[in-house]
Amino acid sequence: MGVLTPLEEVLRTAAPQVLGAVVRRYGDFDTSEDAVQEALLAAARQWPREGMPDDPRAWLIRVASRRRIELLRNEEARRRREALPADPVPSVRGDDELTLLVLCCHPALTPLSQVALTLRAVGGLSTAEIARALLVPESTVGQRISRAKRKIREAGARFVLPANFEERLPGVRQTLYLIFNEGHTASSGSSLHRVELSTEAIRLTRQLHARLPQDGEVAGLLALMLLTDARRPARTRPDGALVPLAEQDRTLWNRAAIEEGVEIITAALRDTEIGPFQLQAAIAAVHAEPGETDWPQILALYRLLESVAPGPMVTLNRIVALAEVDGPLVGLRALEKAATEPALATHHRVTAVRAHLLERSGDLAAARDEYLLAARQTLSLPEQRYLESRASRLR
């Protein structure tokens, strides 16, 4: 998508606020969301010709409200409308976007459906934009969103912020994390990054942090995104080839994003209970420090993260740090044990780490075979080309 035009920026920002107002006024998320999408399309067609209205949100709310009534036109709907003394334009409330985000991450939905619906309803992306970002057919995204809205309706979910909404925050944070991760390192395709996804994830997480400044894990997630995305300009060469962290030109890193991320995570670690996203952000902050990487500190943080939130990728990253501290042979022994876990057994990153450690230990022939195997296992073309180039250097 690149840089948004002023019109696109207005529509992207207004979309969740308009949807929240319309759903709160009329009650049904499914039909209201369709109506808001049509209002956004109408604005995209009319405003360039006729000029932007003085109050864009009010204009969108009025058009969406009229379209919502048209979509539900029947005798019962008419009787309900006739019983109302007036049909005032719904107002925008400060908690609408938070309510909408929690609704899109309803536990009845699969993680992929939560991602698609969040990008559509809260992020304001069109179905076509989501399809391009996720590299799936537009029809698939449309079906996924339709099923998600139907499940929300069948679950009887209402557009109110649940009294126990904080219990739903882990799902909300995880959805935003999934969106960011797919944008930062695409799981498949010809490009390493999908900038529209990582940018949208940061924007939404920033809004969530503004609404919940006391939530340490939301702060940790935002800091992690900022610190990670700050390295994006140095992660690829002009031809799109991947550049590993150790070989990146740090002068290309976004220092403003790093400073903001460090400030956020420092305050969160000082003032709130430590959680997994905060620990990941702390690790990213250490990587962002100038000079030699403090691998003993990173290893200590990964060990703490593994005790707080164990997982296969945490284990793998801890082994990488262990090898940096104690040497490749120690890392290889730890990797051999960890690779017996089903989640890691055939993962291309395990194979790539094994190749790297074998290369460092001097077993170049075995390292070359592992690099080639990892290249066959990954669906990302930039990663595939990088791994093949590592293998060719050992020929």
Side-chain angles (χ1 to χ4, degrees), residues 196-261:
E196 63 270 36
L197 287 181
S198 53
T199 300
E200 194 59 30
I202 291 172
R203 187 182 76 84
L204 295 176
T205 306
R206 193 184 291 281
Q207 290 181 353
L208 187 61
H209 178 52
R211 291 291 304 158
L212 302 170
Q214 77 286 356
D215 189 296
E217 278 294 82
V218 171
L221 178 58
L222 177 57
L224 174 62
M225 290 179 179
L226 291 169
L227 289 162
T228 304
D229 192 62
R231 300 196 299 265
R232 174 163 47 86
R235 291 184 74 218
T236 54
R237 294 189 174 90
D239 61 357
L242 186 151
V243 181
L245 178 61
E247 300 174 18
Q248 289 176 12
D249 179 357
R250 298 190 176 201
T251 64
L252 298 177
W253 290 359
N254 185 333
R255 299 311 306 181
I258 290 174
E259 290 171 6
E260 183 184 4

Side-chain angles (χ1 to χ4, degrees), residues 4 81 121 147 152 227 247 282 294 306 318 320 323 344 380:
L4 296 178
R81 290 200 307 277
R147 285 195 299 268
I152 286 177
L227 289 162
E247 300 174 18
D294 188 345
E306 199 169 25
R318 191 258 303 161
V320 171
L344 290 176
S380 168

Side-chain angles (χ1 to χ4, degrees), residues 67-270:
R67 185 55 183 150
R68 182 261 175 203
I69 292 173
E70 291 172 5
L71 291 171
L72 291 177
R73 178 168 290 143
N74 54 48
E75 279 303 316
E76 183 180 356
R78 277 197 294 271
R79 284 196 298 270
R80 285 201 302 269
R81 290 200 307 277
E82 291 166 1
L84 293 173
D87 192 15
V89 175
S91 61
V92 173
R93 284 204 327 217
D95 61 353
D96 279 348
E97 287 184 85
L98 177 58
T99 304
L100 194 57
L101 187 54
V102 171
L103 182 64
C104 290
C105 298
H106 194 281
L109 305 181
T110 65
L112 289 178
S113 294
Q114 291 175 348
V115 166
L117 192 59
T118 297
L119 288 173
R120 167 80 171 259
V122 189
L125 275 68
S126 68
T127 303
E129 287 173 324
I130 298 170
R132 286 196 299 270
L134 297 179
L135 295 185
V136 296
E138 188 173 342
S139 59
T140 300
V141 172
Q143 292 167 3
R144 187 174 292 164
I145 290 173
S146 295
R147 285 195 299 268
K149 292 192 292 187
R150 185 174 65 249
K151 284 187 177 181
I152 286 177
R153 184 176 64 250
E154 291 171 350
R158 298 170 55 240
F159 190 74
V160 293
L161 198 60
N164 61 340
F165 81 94
E166 292 186 357
E167 296 177 7
R168 302 261 288 274
L169 279 179
V172 172
R173 291 191 295 256
Q174 188 63 24
T175 296
L176 295 173
Y177 182 59
L178 288 173
I179 294 171
F180 178 81
N181 269 1
E182 185 60 26
H184 181 67
T185 303
S187 57
S188 61
S190 59
S191 177
L192 183 66
H193 306 116
R194 294 176 192 160
V195 180
E196 63 270 36
L197 287 181
S198 53
T199 300
E200 194 59 30
I202 291 172
R203 187 182 76 84
L204 295 176
T205 306
R206 193 184 291 281
Q207 290 181 353
L208 187 61
H209 178 52
R211 291 291 304 158
L212 302 170
Q214 77 286 356
D215 189 296
E217 278 294 82
V218 171
L221 178 58
L222 177 57
L224 174 62
M225 290 179 179
L226 291 169
L227 289 162
T228 304
D229 192 62
R231 300 196 299 265
R232 174 163 47 86
R235 291 184 74 218
T236 54
R237 294 189 174 90
D239 61 357
L242 186 151
V243 181
L245 178 61
E247 300 174 18
Q248 289 176 12
D249 179 357
R250 298 190 176 201
T251 64
L252 298 177
W253 290 359
N254 185 333
R255 299 311 306 181
I258 290 174
E259 290 171 6
E260 183 184 4
V262 169
E263 181 179 349
I264 292 171
I265 188 55
T266 300
L269 290 172
R270 182 187 64 233

Side-chain angles (χ1 to χ4, degrees), residues 318-329:
R318 191 258 303 161
I319 291 171
V320 171
L322 176 67
E324 292 291 339
V325 174
D326 292 338
L329 295 180

